Amino acid sequence: MRPVIRTTTEGDTEAMLAIYTPVVNETAISFETEPPTFGEFRQRILDTSKEYPWIVCENEGELLGYAYANAYRSRPAYRWAVETSVYVDPRYRGRGVGKALYLSLLDVLTLQGYLIVYAIITAPNPASVALHRSVGFERAAVFERMGFKFGHWHDVEWWRCDLTKALPDNPSRPLSISEAMGQAGWTHALTRGLAVLGGTKNR
């Protein structure tokens, strides 16, 4: 069976949280210090998924990774900018899953009418840097010693990807997810990343 990329359902919550929890407990990739509970994680998805995409990559019923976007800032003038994250099950890292999710996520955001995408990377993280560069991000800023976790101060890098060659003078309101699903290009955008996926079975 070929992998699929699709929007998140409530039934994905447990598997997504299982991927995210070790990131919180074992790394400085996330600046959370305690993993969210199932209920908290579920509520995060419910609170944002009407306006911003949450997508998963799945193969033969197994969740390989997930990606999502949320508001960059809450004030109205920021509405065309989003912040993104992607997390991949450790067993499937290095197989194109992260890139596949990102390509689909960026296409969906473009379809919605978002214009600027930011990603935050705790440095050093060469794998994340390589992934973001591969899908069009460029380093925008470095904030030194911005977060303290596991007894160390960590630098944070902000990476930016413009979804249009030139920012419009009068941008249209971004579409909600339900509005985007009604667009002719929805399926193509959501599945764009599948082209980069090769074998994903656990070896």
Side-chain angles (χ1 to χ4, degrees), residues 15-23 26-27 29 62-66 87-95 97 200 202-203:
M16 293 165 65
L17 183 57
I19 291 173
Y20 182 60
T21 295
V23 175
E26 301 169 14
T27 80
I29 291 171
E62 185 172 15
L63 202 71
L64 312 184
Y66 69 96
Y87 297 98
V88 177
D89 186 308
R91 295 171 296 170
Y92 300 103
R93 291 174 188 165
R95 303 189 191 184
V97 175
T200 53
N202 191 21
R203 294 198 268 277

Side-chain angles (χ1 to χ4, degrees), residues 102-113:
Y102 240 134
L103 290 173
S104 290
L105 186 69
L106 294 176
D107 263 25
V108 169
L109 290 168
T110 301
L111 182 67
Q112 288 183 264

